[in-house]
Amino acid sequence: MKRISGLFLVALMSGATTLGAYKLVFDNDTPSSALSIAPTNYSRTVGFNGAEPADFTAAADQAVHTVVHVKNVTYSNQPRNMMEYIYGYRSAEPTPQVGTGSGVIITEDGYIVTNNHVVENASELEVTLNNNKTYKAKLVGTDSKMDIALLKVDTKDKLPFATFGNSDDIKVGEWVLAVGNPYNLTSTVTAGIVSAKARNLSKDGIQSFIQTDAAVNPGNSGGALVNTKGQLIGINTMITSMTGSYVGYSFAVPSNITRKIIEDLMEYGNVQRGILGVQGGELNSAMANDLGVSETQGFYVNDVTADSGAKKAGIKKGDIIVDIDGKPVNGFADLNAAIITKRPNDVVRVKIHRDGDVLTIPVKLTKNEVNTFTYSGLELEDLSAAEKKKLNITYGIRIKEITDEQYMPYYDELKDGVILSIGNIKAKDIETVSKLLSNKGPNDRVRVQMITKNGELVRFIM
């Protein structure tokens, strides 16, 4: 009995000690400030009654009505079976091939922006709105480097259109919605965050993409990337995947770049690109050590192009560009992102580090000497004055590259050839040709006269 009473006494004392400790820690009347702070901080950190989750419904409802389904019909005389392939037989009727993608209405009178690869080589273009109304579309112009194309539909109806947001203002971690037609599933909305800005995925460094983790799949190309206000901040363009389907990375052309491209196409018929006129590379610790400079971020100027705006403004080899118009420059992608929305003769303020000094220099951008234009699988470019002199001609444009299969049998003849005329119009320059071809109907054919790289005068139908 004594043993039981002793155990009962120990248990009673343990319980009292436990209750005492509980009272000490959680009683708000305790004089110990250290102990009273802990519960308050804990409840604030967990935040059971914190901010409500983001609501995407208004933005999604607004965006789906501005995104269209784009159908691209091309006609091919390629072999349909092995017998045709072996014996070279071709059907009298070209075989239609259909591709699909997305687009975004940007004006109430029917201008639509999409990707160049969605409409490339199209013989017929058709767009379907979210209300299932269908329209024939006309190609206004393209920018193959940024993979942007501008379409126009004729309609008396006032169409719903997207409002442009400022893509420079978006922040990494910000919520975004991708709206499009993946796998022909119309009006599909997915959500994610901005994963990175100014992603450069091209060898020539032209692209400056927004990277997101919003799910984007085949058919989403040309669709809208919008913020939580429903504003257009990008055109969904590509994914990085080993399977061809979404695996966590998707990329969009920023809205500021898109807007500048379509304004150029509307006004000039081609894209007006201003250039700074510097060459160099992105600084890092290893490069800084090799160059003997203390900075490890910025764009190191290794050369300055003669007669460029940078040369005239006094930028020199060895300068380190750290900022353009208030935007930090940590490498070529940032420098390109700051310049790509500008036009020739625009003035930018370039901040540089030079021999320990920080200078801000105004630079007037110059015109890119070689304009390019892509049409029906042919990438065309202007000729320089020296090239015209060498060929003993006063006008003409070069076929820089060929991507359409219909021209592949004649690749060696056409590649690097110089087009002299299209129809009865002299091919004076890219601006003239782009306006001419942009006004041509999708099924219209014109006779092209050109000089091959071997000096032969040939004609073909385009």
Side-chain angles (χ1 to χ4, degrees), residues 159-205:
L159 303 182
F161 61 94
T163 301
F164 277 85
N166 186 348
S167 55
D168 288 344
D169 289 344
I170 63 171
K171 300 184 185 305
V172 173
E174 180 177 336
W175 281 105
V176 289
L177 303 180
V179 187
N181 307 286
Y183 302 114
N184 278 328
L185 300 171
T186 58
S187 304
T188 299
V189 180
T190 57
I193 62 167
V194 176
S195 304
K197 298 172 62 175
R199 280 291 193 222
N200 176 20
L201 306 177
S202 169
K203 292 180 180 179
D204 60 15

mmCIF file of all heavy atoms in Angstrom, residues 159-205:
data_model
loop_
_atom_site.group_PDB
_atom_site.id
_atom_site.type_symbol
_atom_site.label_atom_id
_atom_site.label_comp_id
_atom_site.label_asym_id
_atom_site.label_seq_id
_atom_site.Cartn_x
_atom_site.Cartn_y
_atom_site.Cartn_z
ATOM 1 N N LEU A 159 -14.674 43.046 -82.344
ATOM 2 C CA LEU A 159 -14.171 41.851 -81.683
ATOM 3 C C LEU A 159 -13.610 42.172 -80.304
ATOM 4 O O LEU A 159 -13.075 43.261 -80.087
ATOM 5 C CB LEU A 159 -13.077 41.201 -82.542
ATOM 6 C CG LEU A 159 -13.460 40.827 -83.972
ATOM 7 C CD1 LEU A 159 -12.284 40.155 -84.664
ATOM 8 C CD2 LEU A 159 -14.686 39.918 -83.991
ATOM 9 N N PRO A 160 -13.697 41.229 -79.371
ATOM 10 C CA PRO A 160 -13.022 41.418 -78.072
ATOM 11 C C PRO A 160 -11.514 41.381 -78.307
ATOM 12 O O PRO A 160 -11.038 40.601 -79.132
ATOM 13 C CB PRO A 160 -13.490 40.213 -77.251
ATOM 14 C CG PRO A 160 -13.838 39.178 -78.275
ATOM 15 C CD PRO A 160 -14.367 39.924 -79.469
ATOM 16 N N PHE A 161 -10.781 42.225 -77.624
ATOM 17 C CA PHE A 161 -9.331 42.271 -77.867
ATOM 18 C C PHE A 161 -8.574 42.390 -76.554
ATOM 19 O O PHE A 161 -9.087 42.882 -75.548
ATOM 20 C CB PHE A 161 -8.961 43.422 -78.803
ATOM 21 C CG PHE A 161 -9.312 44.790 -78.279
ATOM 22 C CD1 PHE A 161 -8.382 45.544 -77.575
ATOM 23 C CD2 PHE A 161 -10.578 45.328 -78.500
ATOM 24 C CE1 PHE A 161 -8.707 46.804 -77.088
ATOM 25 C CE2 PHE A 161 -10.912 46.588 -78.024
ATOM 26 C CZ PHE A 161 -9.970 47.326 -77.316
ATOM 27 N N ALA A 162 -7.321 41.935 -76.590
ATOM 28 C CA ALA A 162 -6.473 41.934 -75.397
ATOM 29 C C ALA A 162 -5.886 43.318 -75.167
ATOM 30 O O ALA A 162 -5.565 44.046 -76.103
ATOM 31 C CB ALA A 162 -5.351 40.912 -75.552
ATOM 32 N N THR A 163 -5.727 43.668 -73.904
ATOM 33 C CA THR A 163 -5.062 44.905 -73.511
ATOM 34 C C THR A 163 -3.605 44.602 -73.191
ATOM 35 O O THR A 163 -3.314 43.692 -72.411
ATOM 36 C CB THR A 163 -5.732 45.524 -72.273
ATOM 37 O OG1 THR A 163 -7.112 45.776 -72.576
ATOM 38 C CG2 THR A 163 -5.049 46.825 -71.879
ATOM 39 N N PHE A 164 -2.697 45.348 -73.801
ATOM 40 C CA PHE A 164 -1.279 45.110 -73.562
ATOM 41 C C PHE A 164 -0.874 45.568 -72.166
ATOM 42 O O PHE A 164 -1.227 46.658 -71.728
ATOM 43 C CB PHE A 164 -0.421 45.855 -74.592
ATOM 44 C CG PHE A 164 -0.270 45.127 -75.892
ATOM 45 C CD1 PHE A 164 -1.222 45.252 -76.883
ATOM 46 C CD2 PHE A 164 0.821 44.309 -76.128
ATOM 47 C CE1 PHE A 164 -1.104 44.585 -78.081
ATOM 48 C CE2 PHE A 164 0.962 43.634 -77.325
ATOM 49 C CZ PHE A 164 -0.008 43.770 -78.313
ATOM 50 N N GLY A 165 -0.130 44.712 -71.481
ATOM 51 C CA GLY A 165 0.512 45.085 -70.231
ATOM 52 C C GLY A 165 1.971 45.412 -70.492
ATOM 53 O O GLY A 165 2.491 45.175 -71.593
ATOM 54 N N ASN A 166 2.653 45.937 -69.503
ATOM 55 C CA ASN A 166 4.074 46.285 -69.623
ATOM 56 C C ASN A 166 4.912 45.097 -69.161
ATOM 57 O O ASN A 166 5.031 44.840 -67.963
ATOM 58 C CB ASN A 166 4.382 47.527 -68.789
ATOM 59 C CG ASN A 166 5.803 48.029 -68.998
ATOM 60 O OD1 ASN A 166 6.646 47.349 -69.587
ATOM 61 N ND2 ASN A 166 6.072 49.237 -68.530
ATOM 62 N N SER A 167 5.503 44.386 -70.115
ATOM 63 C CA SER A 167 6.257 43.187 -69.758
ATOM 64 C C SER A 167 7.540 43.515 -68.999
ATOM 65 O O SER A 167 8.098 42.633 -68.323
ATOM 66 C CB SER A 167 6.597 42.371 -71.011
ATOM 67 O OG SER A 167 7.273 43.163 -71.977
ATOM 68 N N ASP A 168 7.998 44.757 -69.065
ATOM 69 C CA ASP A 168 9.182 45.140 -68.291
ATOM 70 C C ASP A 168 8.886 45.156 -66.790
ATOM 71 O O ASP A 168 9.799 45.049 -65.975
ATOM 72 C CB ASP A 168 9.691 46.524 -68.712
ATOM 73 C CG ASP A 168 10.359 46.504 -70.077
ATOM 74 O OD1 ASP A 168 10.699 45.405 -70.552
ATOM 75 O OD2 ASP A 168 10.530 47.587 -70.672
ATOM 76 N N ASP A 169 7.613 45.315 -66.441
ATOM 77 C CA ASP A 169 7.239 45.438 -65.028
ATOM 78 C C ASP A 169 7.007 44.098 -64.342
ATOM 79 O O ASP A 169 6.866 44.054 -63.117
ATOM 80 C CB ASP A 169 5.963 46.285 -64.894
ATOM 81 C CG ASP A 169 6.207 47.758 -65.206
ATOM 82 O OD1 ASP A 169 7.388 48.158 -65.217
ATOM 83 O OD2 ASP A 169 5.228 48.481 -65.451
ATOM 84 N N ILE A 170 6.925 43.013 -65.093
ATOM 85 C CA ILE A 170 6.669 41.726 -64.441
ATOM 86 C C ILE A 170 7.870 41.309 -63.607
ATOM 87 O O ILE A 170 9.001 41.685 -63.899
ATOM 88 C CB ILE A 170 6.324 40.617 -65.467
ATOM 89 C CG1 ILE A 170 7.503 40.360 -66.402
ATOM 90 C CG2 ILE A 170 5.074 40.961 -66.232
ATOM 91 C CD1 ILE A 170 7.295 39.140 -67.276
ATOM 92 N N LYS A 171 7.597 40.533 -62.576
ATOM 93 C CA LYS A 171 8.650 40.119 -61.648
ATOM 94 C C LYS A 171 8.719 38.596 -61.580
ATOM 95 O O LYS A 171 7.704 37.912 -61.726
ATOM 96 C CB LYS A 171 8.392 40.692 -60.260
ATOM 97 C CG LYS A 171 8.337 42.220 -60.231
ATOM 98 C CD LYS A 171 8.168 42.740 -58.823
ATOM 99 C CE LYS A 171 7.990 44.258 -58.808
ATOM 100 N NZ LYS A 171 9.084 44.956 -59.500
ATOM 101 N N VAL A 172 9.918 38.098 -61.381
ATOM 102 C CA VAL A 172 10.102 36.668 -61.191
ATOM 103 C C VAL A 172 9.311 36.235 -59.956
ATOM 104 O O VAL A 172 9.387 36.874 -58.902
ATOM 105 C CB VAL A 172 11.593 36.319 -61.025
ATOM 106 C CG1 VAL A 172 11.775 34.842 -60.662
ATOM 107 C CG2 VAL A 172 12.359 36.639 -62.302
ATOM 108 N N GLY A 173 8.514 35.179 -60.089
ATOM 109 C CA GLY A 173 7.643 34.720 -59.011
ATOM 110 C C GLY A 173 6.215 35.194 -59.149
ATOM 111 O O GLY A 173 5.334 34.726 -58.422
ATOM 112 N N GLU A 174 5.943 36.100 -60.094
ATOM 113 C CA GLU A 174 4.591 36.625 -60.296
ATOM 114 C C GLU A 174 3.715 35.579 -60.982
ATOM 115 O O GLU A 174 4.155 34.861 -61.873
ATOM 116 C CB GLU A 174 4.672 37.886 -61.161
ATOM 117 C CG GLU A 174 3.348 38.545 -61.464
ATOM 118 C CD GLU A 174 3.507 39.823 -62.270
ATOM 119 O OE1 GLU A 174 4.599 40.430 -62.209
ATOM 120 O OE2 GLU A 174 2.547 40.215 -62.956
ATOM 121 N N TRP A 175 2.446 35.502 -60.561
ATOM 122 C CA TRP A 175 1.503 34.579 -61.168
ATOM 123 C C TRP A 175 1.145 35.005 -62.584
ATOM 124 O O TRP A 175 0.939 36.195 -62.848
ATOM 125 C CB TRP A 175 0.216 34.491 -60.347
ATOM 126 C CG TRP A 175 0.299 33.632 -59.123
ATOM 127 C CD1 TRP A 175 0.383 34.047 -57.827
ATOM 128 C CD2 TRP A 175 0.294 32.206 -59.083
ATOM 129 N NE1 TRP A 175 0.443 32.969 -56.975
ATOM 130 C CE2 TRP A 175 0.398 31.826 -57.724
ATOM 131 C CE3 TRP A 175 0.234 31.209 -60.059
ATOM 132 C CZ2 TRP A 175 0.414 30.490 -57.327
ATOM 133 C CZ3 TRP A 175 0.260 29.876 -59.665
ATOM 134 C CH2 TRP A 175 0.346 29.540 -58.310
ATOM 135 N N VAL A 176 1.047 34.032 -63.496
ATOM 136 C CA VAL A 176 0.634 34.290 -64.879
ATOM 137 C C VAL A 176 -0.267 33.151 -65.351
ATOM 138 O O VAL A 176 -0.241 32.042 -64.804
ATOM 139 C CB VAL A 176 1.847 34.413 -65.834
ATOM 140 C CG1 VAL A 176 2.605 35.704 -65.583
ATOM 141 C CG2 VAL A 176 2.781 33.207 -65.711
ATOM 142 N N LEU A 177 -1.048 33.430 -66.392
ATOM 143 C CA LEU A 177 -1.916 32.435 -67.016
ATOM 144 C C LEU A 177 -1.523 32.269 -68.480
ATOM 145 O O LEU A 177 -1.261 33.252 -69.167
ATOM 146 C CB LEU A 177 -3.386 32.855 -66.950
ATOM 147 C CG LEU A 177 -3.991 33.149 -65.577
ATOM 148 C CD1 LEU A 177 -5.454 33.556 -65.750
ATOM 149 C CD2 LEU A 177 -3.886 31.940 -64.676
ATOM 150 N N ALA A 178 -1.488 31.029 -68.952
ATOM 151 C CA ALA A 178 -1.277 30.736 -70.369
ATOM 152 C C ALA A 178 -2.623 30.290 -70.950
ATOM 153 O O ALA A 178 -3.263 29.380 -70.416
ATOM 154 C CB ALA A 178 -0.230 29.644 -70.547
ATOM 155 N N VAL A 179 -3.038 30.950 -72.041
ATOM 156 C CA VAL A 179 -4.339 30.671 -72.643
ATOM 157 C C VAL A 179 -4.131 30.280 -74.097
ATOM 158 O O VAL A 179 -3.456 30.985 -74.850
ATOM 159 C CB VAL A 179 -5.271 31.896 -72.568
ATOM 160 C CG1 VAL A 179 -6.673 31.537 -73.038
ATOM 161 C CG2 VAL A 179 -5.315 32.457 -71.147
ATOM 162 N N GLY A 180 -4.692 29.139 -74.503
ATOM 163 C CA GLY A 180 -4.519 28.693 -75.880
ATOM 164 C C GLY A 180 -5.334 27.455 -76.176
ATOM 165 O O GLY A 180 -6.310 27.146 -75.476
ATOM 166 N N ASN A 181 -4.903 26.735 -77.223
ATOM 167 C CA ASN A 181 -5.655 25.586 -77.713
ATOM 168 C C ASN A 181 -4.759 24.353 -77.852
ATOM 169 O O ASN A 181 -4.538 23.854 -78.958
ATOM 170 C CB ASN A 181 -6.284 25.922 -79.074
ATOM 171 C CG ASN A 181 -7.106 27.191 -79.025
ATOM 172 O OD1 ASN A 181 -8.202 27.205 -78.489
ATOM 173 N ND2 ASN A 181 -6.580 28.268 -79.590
ATOM 174 N N PRO A 182 -4.205 23.841 -76.759
ATOM 175 C CA PRO A 182 -3.315 22.682 -76.859
ATOM 176 C C PRO A 182 -4.060 21.440 -77.342
ATOM 177 O O PRO A 182 -5.162 21.150 -76.869
ATOM 178 C CB PRO A 182 -2.812 22.506 -75.419
ATOM 179 C CG PRO A 182 -3.903 23.070 -74.576
ATOM 180 C CD PRO A 182 -4.451 24.231 -75.363
ATOM 181 N N TYR A 183 -3.434 20.729 -78.285
ATOM 182 C CA TYR A 183 -4.031 19.498 -78.814
ATOM 183 C C TYR A 183 -5.477 19.722 -79.278
ATOM 184 O O TYR A 183 -6.325 18.849 -79.125
ATOM 185 C CB TYR A 183 -3.979 18.387 -77.760
ATOM 186 C CG TYR A 183 -2.588 18.071 -77.277
ATOM 187 C CD1 TYR A 183 -2.214 18.328 -75.956
ATOM 188 C CD2 TYR A 183 -1.629 17.533 -78.142
ATOM 189 C CE1 TYR A 183 -0.928 18.038 -75.511
ATOM 190 C CE2 TYR A 183 -0.344 17.255 -77.697
ATOM 191 C CZ TYR A 183 -0.002 17.498 -76.380
ATOM 192 O OH TYR A 183 1.265 17.221 -75.945
ATOM 193 N N ASN A 184 -5.746 20.928 -79.812
ATOM 194 C CA ASN A 184 -7.088 21.299 -80.292
ATOM 195 C C ASN A 184 -8.135 21.353 -79.179
ATOM 196 O O ASN A 184 -9.341 21.347 -79.449
ATOM 197 C CB ASN A 184 -7.568 20.356 -81.391
ATOM 198 C CG ASN A 184 -7.011 20.734 -82.746
ATOM 199 O OD1 ASN A 184 -6.778 21.915 -83.024
ATOM 200 N ND2 ASN A 184 -6.773 19.752 -83.597
ATOM 201 N N LEU A 185 -7.702 21.416 -77.932
ATOM 202 C CA LEU A 185 -8.626 21.626 -76.814
ATOM 203 C C LEU A 185 -8.782 23.125 -76.633
ATOM 204 O O LEU A 185 -7.935 23.788 -76.041
ATOM 205 C CB LEU A 185 -8.087 20.968 -75.539
ATOM 206 C CG LEU A 185 -7.866 19.456 -75.614
ATOM 207 C CD1 LEU A 185 -7.129 18.969 -74.369
ATOM 208 C CD2 LEU A 185 -9.193 18.733 -75.774
ATOM 209 N N THR A 186 -9.869 23.681 -77.162
ATOM 210 C CA THR A 186 -10.015 25.130 -77.220
ATOM 211 C C THR A 186 -10.204 25.749 -75.843
ATOM 212 O O THR A 186 -10.680 25.107 -74.904
ATOM 213 C CB THR A 186 -11.218 25.509 -78.112
ATOM 214 O OG1 THR A 186 -12.391 24.900 -77.587
ATOM 215 C CG2 THR A 186 -10.989 25.024 -79.531
ATOM 216 N N SER A 187 -9.820 27.020 -75.749
ATOM 217 C CA SER A 187 -10.034 27.846 -74.559
ATOM 218 C C SER A 187 -9.490 27.201 -73.291
ATOM 219 O O SER A 187 -10.168 27.123 -72.267
ATOM 220 C CB SER A 187 -11.527 28.156 -74.382
ATOM 221 O OG SER A 187 -12.045 28.776 -75.536
ATOM 222 N N THR A 188 -8.254 26.724 -73.364
ATOM 223 C CA THR A 188 -7.613 26.089 -72.215
ATOM 224 C C THR A 188 -6.777 27.104 -71.446
ATOM 225 O O THR A 188 -5.985 27.843 -72.038
ATOM 226 C CB THR A 188 -6.719 24.929 -72.669
ATOM 227 O OG1 THR A 188 -7.531 23.951 -73.323
ATOM 228 C CG2 THR A 188 -6.002 24.284 -71.500
ATOM 229 N N VAL A 189 -6.944 27.146 -70.134
ATOM 230 C CA VAL A 189 -6.222 28.077 -69.269
ATOM 231 C C VAL A 189 -5.368 27.283 -68.285
ATOM 232 O O VAL A 189 -5.875 26.374 -67.612
ATOM 233 C CB VAL A 189 -7.186 29.004 -68.500
ATOM 234 C CG1 VAL A 189 -6.404 29.971 -67.617
ATOM 235 C CG2 VAL A 189 -8.087 29.758 -69.465
ATOM 236 N N THR A 190 -4.080 27.614 -68.203
ATOM 237 C CA THR A 190 -3.202 27.012 -67.193
ATOM 238 C C THR A 190 -2.517 28.137 -66.429
ATOM 239 O O THR A 190 -2.347 29.240 -66.942
ATOM 240 C CB THR A 190 -2.148 26.094 -67.828
ATOM 241 O OG1 THR A 190 -1.379 26.842 -68.790
ATOM 242 C CG2 THR A 190 -2.798 24.912 -68.523
ATOM 243 N N ALA A 191 -2.105 27.849 -65.208
ATOM 244 C CA ALA A 191 -1.487 28.860 -64.352
ATOM 245 C C ALA A 191 -0.073 28.453 -63.966
ATOM 246 O O ALA A 191 0.259 27.272 -63.892
ATOM 247 C CB ALA A 191 -2.320 29.078 -63.094
ATOM 248 N N GLY A 192 0.761 29.456 -63.720
ATOM 249 C CA GLY A 192 2.123 29.220 -63.259
ATOM 250 C C GLY A 192 2.718 30.533 -62.792
ATOM 251 O O GLY A 192 1.997 31.520 -62.589
ATOM 252 N N ILE A 193 4.023 30.555 -62.637
ATOM 253 C CA ILE A 193 4.710 31.779 -62.243
ATOM 254 C C ILE A 193 5.767 32.130 -63.279
ATOM 255 O O ILE A 193 6.162 31.285 -64.085
ATOM 256 C CB ILE A 193 5.367 31.656 -60.855
ATOM 257 C CG1 ILE A 193 6.439 30.553 -60.873
ATOM 258 C CG2 ILE A 193 4.332 31.407 -59.772
ATOM 259 C CD1 ILE A 193 7.339 30.561 -59.654
ATOM 260 N N VAL A 194 6.210 33.372 -63.256
ATOM 261 C CA VAL A 194 7.344 33.787 -64.068
ATOM 262 C C VAL A 194 8.599 33.178 -63.444
ATOM 263 O O VAL A 194 8.934 33.456 -62.296
ATOM 264 C CB VAL A 194 7.459 35.318 -64.124
ATOM 265 C CG1 VAL A 194 8.709 35.731 -64.890
ATOM 266 C CG2 VAL A 194 6.217 35.924 -64.777
ATOM 267 N N SER A 195 9.281 32.323 -64.196
ATOM 268 C CA SER A 195 10.463 31.637 -63.688
ATOM 269 C C SER A 195 11.743 32.417 -63.931
ATOM 270 O O SER A 195 12.696 32.328 -63.150
ATOM 271 C CB SER A 195 10.582 30.250 -64.337
ATOM 272 O OG SER A 195 9.410 29.497 -64.124
ATOM 273 N N ALA A 196 11.786 33.168 -65.036
ATOM 274 C CA ALA A 196 12.969 33.963 -65.377
ATOM 275 C C ALA A 196 12.593 34.952 -66.462
ATOM 276 O O ALA A 196 11.562 34.798 -67.140
ATOM 277 C CB ALA A 196 14.120 33.073 -65.844
ATOM 278 N N LYS A 197 13.423 35.978 -66.626
ATOM 279 C CA LYS A 197 13.223 36.978 -67.677
ATOM 280 C C LYS A 197 14.472 37.044 -68.552
ATOM 281 O O LYS A 197 15.546 36.631 -68.153
ATOM 282 C CB LYS A 197 12.939 38.350 -67.061
ATOM 283 C CG LYS A 197 11.664 38.399 -66.227
ATOM 284 C CD LYS A 197 11.528 39.711 -65.475
ATOM 285 C CE LYS A 197 11.433 40.911 -66.404
ATOM 286 N NZ LYS A 197 11.192 42.168 -65.649
ATOM 287 N N ALA A 198 14.294 37.564 -69.768
ATOM 288 C CA ALA A 198 15.402 37.788 -70.712
ATOM 289 C C ALA A 198 16.175 36.506 -71.005
ATOM 290 O O ALA A 198 17.395 36.507 -71.065
ATOM 291 C CB ALA A 198 16.344 38.873 -70.201
ATOM 292 N N ARG A 199 15.450 35.389 -71.193
ATOM 293 C CA ARG A 199 16.091 34.136 -71.564
ATOM 294 C C ARG A 199 16.497 34.198 -73.044
ATOM 295 O O ARG A 199 15.683 34.525 -73.906
ATOM 296 C CB ARG A 199 15.139 32.964 -71.373
ATOM 297 C CG ARG A 199 15.027 32.490 -69.949
ATOM 298 C CD ARG A 199 16.309 31.835 -69.481
ATOM 299 N NE ARG A 199 16.097 31.126 -68.229
ATOM 300 C CZ ARG A 199 16.930 31.139 -67.219
ATOM 301 N NH1 ARG A 199 18.052 31.834 -67.299
ATOM 302 N NH2 ARG A 199 16.678 30.469 -66.116
ATOM 303 N N ASN A 200 17.745 33.886 -73.330
ATOM 304 C CA ASN A 200 18.246 33.877 -74.691
ATOM 305 C C ASN A 200 18.415 32.431 -75.144
ATOM 306 O O ASN A 200 19.265 31.717 -74.647
ATOM 307 C CB ASN A 200 19.584 34.624 -74.768
ATOM 308 C CG ASN A 200 20.195 34.556 -76.150
ATOM 309 O OD1 ASN A 200 19.501 34.291 -77.125
ATOM 310 N ND2 ASN A 200 21.482 34.786 -76.238
ATOM 311 N N LEU A 201 17.595 32.002 -76.120
ATOM 312 C CA LEU A 201 17.636 30.623 -76.590
ATOM 313 C C LEU A 201 18.121 30.528 -78.027
ATOM 314 O O LEU A 201 17.960 29.495 -78.675
ATOM 315 C CB LEU A 201 16.232 29.999 -76.494
ATOM 316 C CG LEU A 201 15.568 30.075 -75.127
ATOM 317 C CD1 LEU A 201 14.163 29.484 -75.203
ATOM 318 C CD2 LEU A 201 16.393 29.338 -74.094
ATOM 319 N N SER A 202 18.724 31.587 -78.544
ATOM 320 C CA SER A 202 19.131 31.620 -79.940
ATOM 321 C C SER A 202 20.619 31.866 -80.071
ATOM 322 O O SER A 202 21.228 32.562 -79.269
ATOM 323 C CB SER A 202 18.363 32.737 -80.675
ATOM 324 O OG SER A 202 18.897 32.966 -81.949
ATOM 325 N N LYS A 203 21.209 31.299 -81.108
ATOM 326 C CA LYS A 203 22.627 31.497 -81.359
ATOM 327 C C LYS A 203 22.941 32.943 -81.731
ATOM 328 O O LYS A 203 24.032 33.439 -81.461
ATOM 329 C CB LYS A 203 23.097 30.563 -82.480
ATOM 330 C CG LYS A 203 23.074 29.090 -82.104
ATOM 331 C CD LYS A 203 23.546 28.218 -83.258
ATOM 332 C CE LYS A 203 23.516 26.746 -82.878
ATOM 333 N NZ LYS A 203 23.944 25.873 -84.000
ATOM 334 N N ASP A 204 21.987 33.615 -82.401
ATOM 335 C CA ASP A 204 22.255 34.995 -82.797
ATOM 336 C C ASP A 204 21.889 36.000 -81.715
ATOM 337 O O ASP A 204 22.091 37.198 -81.881
ATOM 338 C CB ASP A 204 21.539 35.359 -84.106
ATOM 339 C CG ASP A 204 20.030 35.212 -84.010
ATOM 340 O OD1 ASP A 204 19.500 35.111 -82.885
ATOM 341 O OD2 ASP A 204 19.374 35.208 -85.057
ATOM 342 N N GLY A 205 21.336 35.518 -80.594
ATOM 343 C CA GLY A 205 21.093 36.400 -79.458
ATOM 344 C C GLY A 205 19.944 37.357 -79.618
ATOM 345 O O GLY A 205 19.806 38.295 -78.860
#
